[in-house]
Amino acid sequence: MDFLYEIRVGLSNAIFECYGLNIHHNDIQVSETRKEFNGDYTYVVFPLVKELKLKPTDIAKKLGSTLVDNLDIVVGYECVQGFLNLKLSDSFWIDCLHRISKENKYGYATSNYKKVLVEFASPNTNKPLHLGHIRNILLGWSCSRILIANGYDIINTQIVNDRGIAICKSMLAWQKFGSGSTPQSTGIKGDHFVGDYYVLFEKAFVEEYSTFQQTAEAQIVYVESGSSDTKEDFFKKYKNQYFNTYSTLGAEARTMLLNWEKGDQSTLELWRQMNQWVYEGFDVTYRNMGVDFDSIYYESDTYLLGKDVINDGLDKGYFYKKDDGSVWVDLSNAGMDQKILLRNDGTSVYITQDIGTARQRYLDHKMDGMVYTVADEQDYHFKVLFEIAKRMGEPYADGLHHLSYGMVDLPTGKMKSREGTVVDADDLIDEVIEEARILSAERGEIESLSKPDQENILRKIGLGALKYFIIKVQPQKRMTFDPKESVDMQGQTGPYIQNAYVRIQSVKRKMTDNVHIEWNQYEEINEFEKTLIRHLINFPDIIKQAGEQLDPSTIANFAYALAKDYHRFYHEVRILNAETEAAKIFRTVLSDRTGYVLMTAMDLLGIEMPERM
RNA sequence: GGUUCCGUAGCUCAGCUGGAUAGAGCAACAGAUUUCUAAUCUGUCGGUCACAGGUUCGAAUCCUGUCGGGAUCACCA
């Protein structure tokens, strides 16, 4: 759907006709004319000046008059220096709206028959989701929606880190201190319940550690280390080592991990139970956020994968074996380092699992590519992973993308779990909904609705504010999350865009006439209508661009600008009591299509629209 | 130190595949509702686009360097 095709071809032809230069219409760029000048679209003639050795204004004038002669849709032009500003006919704009109205899924591309897995969320099972996960989930989900709009067949997936020392800590703490309590018996959401035991473990461990530091044994460790640090500083750094050596709790946790790896029945049973609680909790959060997954992978199933893939690659000469038996890949000729793939005891490392999981996913889904939504601290990891996949000639290697994003900071600085500054996802969601409730009560607009309807609207508004606040920022940028601003519902926010949509729905409810009658009779459009249409015709390009760059913020900014244009239009132009019947119908259709595009754009961001607010 | 990402208004962010006088929102101030939802609209105030060079008719945008901040450079995941 290229609305400006005719203009580009016209310009290409005019350049050839006037100067004999051949410029393909795909290479002709027209941009929207800035509002301080007269015109709708601008063609910059400077690039032609060098070749033609003529004055910019002369070229612009000649092309302008040629276009007016040759194209019906160009009704005027104005030249400012090397800028040719073209004015298009009202019928052109009206025709654009006609074309948009005829589309079933305006903005969406047709299928490209390619399948892509989008991985996001991927939590650990020892604690609840936090603000960082929210950014991850919003980005992943949104990119998934955007890729669907670009014609891809999408599978949403995640890799759940359900094994390892962390979950064993929670298990151990529950065994020791839980006295048989459950999420049901305590009324605590499952993921928080398990997370609480993780915290309990840490607390007990710290106590044990500080007791140890008073002992003679500790004194010997300190002295024998020959460290120049004070005793206090020394033991700050020694914590991990203590966990792996002297700590009783550490030993117990490690024993539990070993038992798990051996397949000990009672350990597995406890592990399954605790993870089950966590999943039940996660499901609630996912449901509240409006996201779901098609295919979930668990680290407990995949952590042994990859070894055979590596051995296969070893046989084919992609990798090499060191004297100690460990397997490496040398990526120095690609600007990277040497990377270990298998330890000398044959066990795998992190990247080995990823290689194995990727191949497993290919066996399961035969995808053409994958998008990994993972924070930018792992940029190098994915560079290495993708290079390895390429060298092994994996069939999906060319379709691998790392959707990298910056960390979320608080106004007070970084989130740190040790300092208790982590913002919990469920708390945050509750807060924004409560804020929506307060503001809604002041307005009183939805009071007459049923309780469940009201709750549904408040959820949409609160989450709309939160999600938009996060998704409007470009992924690669580190962002500051100010809880106060995240619940703002005025200005450049989700609710502002929702409000434009709600106004449109209100107009539509009150439009009782038959909108399906012809609206060709409308002939002269005003600047507010034109601005809206000019904005609407960009939508397919915006979707394409967002897909190519895996950048939802493109859509977010587009939706805001469109809502802004609509609010202005709504304020300046009468719709239901327009001057003429033709105007009334035209404006209703224009409103309806704007509403449709706003809703579609917000859907691509994972944000729902209320009908009233 | 090597690599990499970021640096635009007091704050949060757009604009970056080179185009006209760099835009929004928030905050502050002044206005708009007998009219379709005021979570709206209009106006005022606010800038060394980190800095210095270079390429170009033209640079916030591309290149080089400097400064500042983050990340990464594990037989951790």
Side-chain angles (χ1 to χ4, degrees):
Chain A
M1 175 125 309
D2 183 358
F3 295 93
L4 302 180
Y5 176 79
E6 212 180 328
I7 293 168
R8 275 196 286 267
V9 171
L11 272 162
S12 173
N13 290 342
I15 292 165
F16 184 75
E17 195 180 317
C18 297
Y19 304 109
L21 275 184
N22 241 323
I23 301 178
H24 193 267
H25 59 261
N26 285 343
D27 297 325
I28 301 271
Q29 292 204 3
V30 290
S31 53
E32 291 183 9
T33 302
R34 299 176 58 129
K35 58 173 175 281
E36 58 265 40
F37 298 97
N38 277 320
D40 299 317
Y41 285 97
T42 297
Y43 177 66
V44 184
V45 303
F46 282 114
L48 301 176
V49 170
K50 207 172 205 176
E51 184 113 10
L52 299 175
K53 297 194 172 71
L54 295 166
K55 278 192 202 158
T57 32
D58 292 346
I59 300 172
K61 273 178 193 158
K62 192 158 182 191
L63 291 179
S65 69
T66 307
L67 277 178
V68 170
D69 290 345
N70 291 354
L71 290 184
D72 289 342
I73 58 170
V74 179
V75 294
Y77 70 96
E78 202 174 279
C79 306
V80 183
Q81 299 162 50
F83 299 91
L84 170 59
N85 300 324
L86 301 170
K87 185 166 166 45
L88 304 187
S89 68
D90 287 353
S91 65
F92 168 81
W93 298 109
I94 293 166
D95 183 54
C96 283
L97 184 58
H98 265 115
R99 290 168 67 185
I100 292 169
S101 302
K102 280 183 199 137
E103 292 277 313
N104 276 331
K105 297 205 88 180
Y106 174 60
Y108 272 54
T110 51
S111 173
N112 60 13
Y113 304 102
K114 283 189 178 156
K115 188 192 272 186
V116 170
L117 261 67
V118 179
E119 179 193 287
F120 59 99
S122 303
N124 296 322
T125 59
N126 62 312
K127 48 190 173 219
L129 303 176
H130 57 71
L131 180 53
H133 292 111
I134 291 189
R135 188 175 198 196
N136 180 300
I137 290 167
L138 293 179
L139 282 169
W141 176 260
S142 178
C143 278
S144 159
R145 303 291 306 155
I146 289 166
L147 289 174
I148 289 171
N150 277 283
Y152 288 90
D153 186 9
I154 294 295
I155 291 174
N156 292 327
T157 186
Q158 55 172 316
I159 176 100
V160 180
N161 302 302
D162 62 341
R163 63 166 286 280
I165 194 74
I167 185 68
C168 287
K169 289 179 181 176
S170 288
M171 287 155 64
L172 188 63
W174 184 83
Q175 258 185 356
K176 283 182 177 300
F177 317 118
S179 45
S181 68
T182 66
Q184 289 75 25
S185 74
T186 55
I188 298 171
K189 191 163 167 280
D191 50 338
H192 289 263
F193 180 86
V194 172
D196 289 346
Y197 283 99
Y198 185 78
V199 173
L200 265 183
F201 179 93
E202 285 300 320
K203 219 178 116 193
F205 173 69
V206 167
E207 271 169 34
E208 185 203 274
Y209 188 35
S210 65
T211 308
F212 168 79
Q213 287 172 41
Q214 312 303 318
T215 62
E217 201 175 13
Q219 185 62 33
I220 294 168
V221 169
Y222 171 58
V223 171
E224 284 189 349
S225 73
S227 167
S228 58
D229 292 333
T230 63
K231 191 172 172 185
E232 199 184 333
D233 285 348
F234 171 79
F235 279 112
K236 257 182 203 164
K237 293 178 193 164
Y238 191 74
K239 195 174 167 191
N240 240 352
Q241 241 172 300
Y242 170 75
F243 180 86
N244 289 316
T245 50
Y246 297 93
S247 171
T248 318
L249 285 168
E252 287 181 85
R254 284 199 313 284
T255 304
M256 196 164 243
L257 183 57
L258 286 175
N259 284 336
W260 183 90
E261 280 170 359
K262 273 189 294 194
D264 174 68
Q265 275 311 311
S266 69
T267 307
L268 282 178
E269 212 167 290
L270 175 60
W271 171 77
R272 275 193 207 102
Q273 177 63 78
M274 294 201 75
N275 274 334
Q276 190 50 42
W277 289 334
V278 171
Y279 299 145
E280 284 163 12
F282 284 169
D283 282 347
V284 171
T285 309
Y286 293 147
R287 207 177 315 131
N288 284 336
M289 290 189 69
V291 303
D292 55 63
F293 298 86
D294 307 306
S295 166
I296 298 183
Y297 288 80
Y298 297 91
E299 205 199 338
S300 53
D301 295 327
T302 63
Y303 82 111
L304 296 174
L305 293 177
K307 286 188 206 176
D308 45 348
V309 183
I310 300 302
N311 285 322
D312 183 37
L314 190 60
D315 292 342
K316 290 183 177 148
Y318 302 133
F319 313 133
Y320 66 94
K321 201 173 233 179
K322 281 195 179 173
D323 293 342
D324 68 354
S326 57
V327 177
W328 294 70
V329 60
D330 181 4
L331 302 173
S332 53
N333 57 2
M336 287 168 256
D337 299 321
Q338 313 207 338
K339 193 89 188 167
I340 190 163
L341 300 173
L342 287 178
R343 298 189 183 99
N344 59 6
D345 61 2
T347 56
S348 51
V349 294
Y350 180 42
I351 201 157
T352 319
Q353 294 177 36
D354 271 2
I355 294 165
T357 305
R359 185 171 280 189
Q360 183 59 48
R361 284 172 169 168
Y362 181 73
L363 296 175
D364 293 344
H365 299 290
K366 294 283 179 293
M367 74 283 182
D368 301 282
M370 263 197 283
V371 174
Y372 292 89
T373 313
V374 180
D376 62 8
E377 58 191 354
Q378 296 201 39
D379 283 355
Y380 183 68
H381 171 77
F382 283 103
K383 240 181 109 180
V384 170
L385 177 66
F386 296 171
E387 178 66 23
I388 291 172
K390 207 165 282 177
R391 291 189 182 197
M392 294 196 310
E394 298 292 281
Y396 49 83
D398 288 334
L400 293 173
H401 298 279
H402 175 203
L403 171 46
S404 169
Y405 62 92
M407 294 287 185
V408 183
D409 291 324
L410 300 173
T412 48
K414 283 189 187 180
M415 278 200 290
K416 285 181 184 156
S417 53
R418 267 170 283 128
E419 293 166 22
T421 55
V422 174
V423 177
D424 179 74
D426 295 317
D427 290 349
L428 191 55
I429 291 169
D430 289 346
E431 275 167 38
V432 289
I433 293 174
E434 285 317 302
E435 184 68 18
R437 191 185 309 283
I438 293 164
L439 293 174
S440 177
E442 286 171 11
R443 293 162 56 82
E445 200 67 56
I446 60 170
E447 276 169 356
S448 59
L449 301 178
S450 73
K451 202 76 195 148
D453 284 353
Q454 286 189 31
E455 283 308 310
N456 197 24
I457 289 171
L458 295 177
R459 189 185 61 82
K460 286 178 179 175
I461 296 172
L463 278 162
L466 175 60
K467 289 180 174 183
Y468 190 86
F469 184 76
I470 292 172
I471 207 84
K472 73 173 184 192
V473 181
Q474 285 179 356
Q476 77 268 23
K477 292 202 178 177
R478 229 184 147 84
M479 68 171 291
T480 310
F481 183 89
D482 186 338
K484 273 195 227 100
E485 286 178 24
S486 72
V487 298
D488 271 351
M489 310 214 173
Q490 288 172 0
Q492 190 180 1
T493 65
Y496 174 96
I497 300 166
Q498 289 172 327
N499 185 232
Y501 178 81
V502 163
R503 283 178 143 183
I504 291 167
Q505 302 321 302
S506 176
V507 167
K508 282 168 70 180
R509 279 193 298 270
K510 286 175 178 153
M511 177 72 178
T512 47
D513 302 6
N514 186 0
V515 240
H516 297 295
I517 66 169
E518 284 301 309
W519 39 284
N520 292 337
Q521 308 138 20
Y522 194 59
E523 283 170 352
E524 270 184 49
I525 65 170
N526 63 43
E527 58 167 311
F528 305 104
E529 293 160 343
K530 188 199 283 184
T531 302
L532 267 179
I533 296 171
R534 193 171 69 163
H535 216 125
L536 288 175
I537 66 176
N538 289 335
F539 193 39
D541 273 347
I542 294 289
I543 289 180
K544 193 169 161 226
Q545 198 188 326
E548 283 166 356
Q549 301 174 353
L550 293 178
D551 181 1
S553 74
T554 313
I555 305 271
N557 288 308
F558 169 84
Y560 170 69
L562 181 61
K564 194 173 155 72
D565 284 345
Y566 188 81
H567 279 306
R568 184 82 203 274
F569 163 82
Y570 183 88
H571 188 264
E572 301 288 340
V573 179
R574 288 169 300 166
I575 303 167
L576 293 176
N577 47 357
E579 319 82 71
T580 65
E581 189 66 15
K584 178 176 167 182
I585 293 165
F586 177 81
R587 287 169 192 168
T588 310
V589 172
L590 178 56
S591 295
D592 175 66
R593 286 301 85 191
T594 303
Y596 177 80
V597 170
L598 285 174
M599 188 199 66
T600 308
M602 291 292 259
D603 174 65
L604 296 179
L605 303 176
I607 300 174
E608 296 174 78
M609 289 293 209
E611 297 298 302
R612 301 166 195 265
M613 66 193 289

